[in-house]
């Protein structure tokens, strides 16, 4: 995207490939002209290919019709820079309908909020009508706007949209949270993650004769969307080529990894435990696992529909990916459920203090309260101290 935007700003006609992530089509008299225009960004381009007239025609057609479903980037107006989900098979009259997290709400929200619509905050009367699909409620209509699972249905001019073959996972986190078109969103996440597939990684096919056999990546071609895997079959080495969409990365305990999306983006370390799709990572810098949240921690929600809310964790199931917290100012029994990836601890909890001279400041007979963990707020008398 950065290369495409730079070329456009210098007057070069560019089309982002609707078929292959990371591939651009540019109109120029030679590759040298493009490289000169890119200047310092020229190293980002791995290869230049002169395309056929047939492919050029296909590219021209892709400019007029966007894939449905698909992803687009808004380039103008209030939603500039946001990613939307194409929800329009017809695409008539130079407008395209997309689903996008709303920036305007029919109830009070902090300025510049981006979140899913909260049905519980709409009136409970006939001014709100349900949107049905296969006899299931998938959204609501209110004051002339339509919302699908919290996402706003909105029309944009075609010339104000840019096709995105593989959006960053962080840019579609609210789409993922909404629960709309889960199969397509999972496919998008897989395409995004396979951009990081490298020689030496372990991977396995999900279709074909060697389905589920684990091989080693010996070459990748992200421009054509393919990779070559080497297998040991019947004691003999064999190399087979696959489309990237037909394989999945395999991680092993001990692998060195870098988190590329979510609250821990940028963290580097090695895997010390796996539980289905959940990985425990030991940080390289500290040689410790990222500190986990516990009941009693005070947190702030950093993304999603409850972004900006603070409160105390009151329930966090072992191995869970969501937690429940009581927000500041809420009535006693009202709890909010939020994904753990969207929250961070904001204040250190008050615990026993340690000094070299006196050790921990507690003795038998003291009354204490558990500050965090499963026994949060349990009160009792210290019977014995053993450090």
């Amino acid at each position: 995207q950065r290369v495409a935007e730079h070329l456009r700003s210098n007057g070069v006609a560019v089309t982002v490939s609707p078929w292959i992530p990371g591939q651009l089509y540019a109109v120029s008299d030679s590759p040298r002209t493009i490289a000169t225009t890119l200047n310092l960004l020229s190293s980002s381009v791995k290869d230049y290919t002169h395309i056929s007239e047939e492919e050029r025609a296909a590219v021209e057609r892709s400019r007029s019709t966007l894939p449905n479903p698909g992803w687009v980037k808004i380039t103008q107006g209030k939603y500039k820079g946001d990613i939307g989900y194409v929800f329009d098979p017809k695409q008539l009259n130079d407008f395209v309908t997309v689903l996008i997290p709303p920036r305007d709400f029919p109830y009070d929200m902090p300025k510049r909020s981006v979140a899913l619509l909260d049905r519980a905050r709409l009136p409970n009367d006939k001014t709100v009508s349900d949107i049905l699909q296969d006899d299931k409620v998938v959204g609501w209509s209110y004051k002339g706007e339509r919302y699908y699972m919290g996402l706003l249905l909105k029309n944009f001019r075609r010339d104000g949209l840019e096709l995105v073959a593989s959006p960053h996972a962080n840019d579609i986190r609210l789409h993922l949270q909404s629960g709309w078109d889960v199969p397509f969103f999972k496919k998008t996440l897989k395409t995004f993650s396979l951009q990081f597939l490298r020689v030496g990684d372990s991977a396995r096919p999900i279709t074909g004769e060697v389905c589920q056999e684990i091989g080693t990546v010996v070459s990748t071609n992200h421009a054509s969307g393919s990779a070559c895997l080497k297998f040991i079959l019947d004691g003999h080495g064999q190399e087979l080529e696959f489309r990237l969409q037909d394989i999945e990365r395999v991680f092993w305990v001990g692998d060195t990894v870098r988190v590329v999306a979510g609250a821990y983006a940028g963290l580097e370390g090695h895997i010390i435990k796996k539980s289905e799709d959940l990985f425990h990572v030991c940080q390289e810098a500290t040689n410790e696992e990222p500190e986990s949240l516990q009941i009693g921690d005070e947190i702030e929600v950093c993304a999603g529909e409850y972004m900006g809310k603070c409160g105390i964790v009151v329930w966090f199931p072992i191995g869970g990916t969501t937690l429940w917290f009581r927000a500041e100012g809420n009535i006693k029994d009202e709890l909010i459920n939020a994904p753990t990836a969207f929250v961070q601890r904001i204040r250190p909890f008050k615990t026993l203090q340690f000094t070299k001279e006196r050790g921990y400041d507690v003795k038998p007979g003291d009354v204490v309260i558990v500050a965090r963990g499963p026994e949060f707020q349990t009160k009792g008398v210290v019977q014995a101290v053993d450090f």
Side-chain angles (χ1 to χ4, degrees):
Q1 297 298 328
R2 185 182 176 189
V3 171
E5 291 171 3
H6 181 83
L7 289 172
R8 289 195 186 101
S9 67
N10 284 274
V12 179
V14 177
T15 301
V16 178
S17 171
W19 308 288
I20 300 173
Q23 182 168 291
L24 303 175
Y25 294 97
V27 179
S28 179
D29 57 359
S30 72
R32 176 173 292 182
T33 301
I34 297 176
T36 302
T37 303
L38 287 172
N39 197 2
L40 296 177
L41 287 175
S42 60
S43 60
S44 301
V45 180
K46 295 181 179 179
D47 191 23
Y48 296 87
T49 304
H50 184 269
I51 64 174
S52 65
E53 282 299 311
E54 291 78 6
E55 189 171 356
R56 183 196 63 78
V59 173
E60 291 295 333
R61 288 194 299 272
S62 74
R63 288 179 178 173
S64 57
T65 304
L66 295 166
N68 180 73
W71 297 103
V72 290
K73 181 179 181 180
I74 317 302
T75 61
Q76 303 171 9
K78 176 181 291 188
Y79 289 85
K80 183 178 180 180
D82 290 357
I83 300 295
Y85 165 93
V86 179
F87 189 67
D88 189 350
K90 296 181 180 179
Q91 301 178 29
L92 302 175
N93 302 321
D94 295 324
F95 282 88
V96 178
T97 305
V98 304
L99 288 178
I100 195 165
R103 287 184 173 272
D104 291 317
F105 301 86
Y107 45 77
D108 289 338
M109 287 284 284
K111 290 183 179 180
R112 297 186 295 277
S113 290
V114 182
L116 297 175
L117 182 85
D118 184 358
R119 174 62 181 89
R121 300 184 66 177
L122 298 183
N124 216 358
D125 54 33
K126 293 183 179 180
T127 60
V128 180
S129 16
D130 292 337
I131 299 174
L132 300 177
Q133 181 173 293
D134 298 329
D135 296 325
K136 291 183 179 180
V137 177
V138 296
W140 315 278
S141 178
Y142 181 61
K143 288 189 175 180
E145 302 288 6
R146 294 169 67 85
Y147 304 89
Y148 287 75
M149 295 187 175
L151 296 167
L152 172 66
L153 188 74
K154 190 171 180 64
N155 293 324
F156 291 92
R157 288 189 59 86
R158 175 63 181 84
D159 58 11
L161 301 176
E162 179 181 291
L163 183 66
V164 178
S166 178
H168 194 286
N170 285 346
D171 294 334
I172 58 170
R173 65 183 187 280
L174 290 175
H175 290 86
L176 299 170
Q177 187 180 330
S178 74
W180 180 261
D181 199 352
V182 173
F184 179 73
F185 292 174
K186 284 186 174 180
K187 181 180 178 182
T188 297
L189 284 182
K190 180 181 176 182
T191 301
F192 169 74
S193 65
L194 286 174
Q195 294 180 69
F196 304 97
L197 190 69
R198 298 292 183 265
V199 173
D201 291 343
S202 295
R204 63 181 159 218
I206 57 176
T207 62
E209 296 180 1
V210 292
C211 177
Q212 299 303 315
E213 291 284 346
I214 298 177
T216 302
V217 178
V218 293
S219 67
T220 60
N221 188 333
H222 291 280
S224 63
S226 65
C228 184
L229 305 184
K230 183 177 182 179
F231 301 89
I232 303 299
L233 303 172
D234 298 324
H236 300 284
Q238 185 175 356
E239 295 185 3
L240 300 173
E241 190 162 331
F242 299 88
R243 296 183 302 173
L244 287 176
Q245 66 192 62
D246 293 331
I247 62 176
E248 62 182 7
R249 172 76 191 277
V250 176
F251 291 93
W252 305 99
V253 171
D255 280 355
T256 299
V257 295
R258 181 174 184 270
V259 181
V260 297
Y264 293 109
L267 181 146
E268 296 184 8
H270 58 273
I271 298 171
I272 60 174
K273 183 180 178 182
K274 295 194 306 176
S275 303
E276 296 183 355
D277 290 334
L278 180 66
F279 295 82
H280 297 255
V281 178
C282 179
Q283 291 176 273
E284 294 287 0
T286 63
N287 208 33
E288 296 178 355
E289 285 186 81
E291 192 169 7
S292 61
L293 294 165
Q294 292 193 32
I295 295 171
D297 288 344
E298 192 163 358
I299 61 165
E300 178 183 9
V301 182
C302 304
E305 61 179 311
Y306 299 112
M307 183 173 65
K309 283 189 175 293
C310 300
I312 295 176
V313 178
V314 297
W315 178 242
F316 185 18
I318 297 175
T321 58
T322 63
L323 55 77
W324 282 258
F325 71 97
R326 180 172 289 115
E328 295 176 349
N330 271 15
I331 59 176
K332 184 176 180 181
D333 295 325
E334 186 177 357
L335 302 180
I336 295 175
N337 180 229
T340 55
F342 290 0
V343 305
Q344 65 177 6
R345 192 165 58 237
I346 57 175
R347 296 187 182 96
F349 36 85
K350 297 179 180 179
T351 59
L352 302 177
Q353 300 298 309
F354 178 84
T355 61
K356 291 183 179 180
E357 296 79 16
R358 299 181 181 180
Y360 286 97
D361 56 345
V362 66
K363 61 184 182 299
D366 286 348
V367 177
V368 297
I369 298 176
V370 179
R372 65 193 300 252
E375 306 301 329
F376 174 59
Q377 289 190 330
T378 299
K379 186 176 182 180
V381 178
V382 177
Q383 301 297 311
V385 179
D386 182 6
F387 299 119

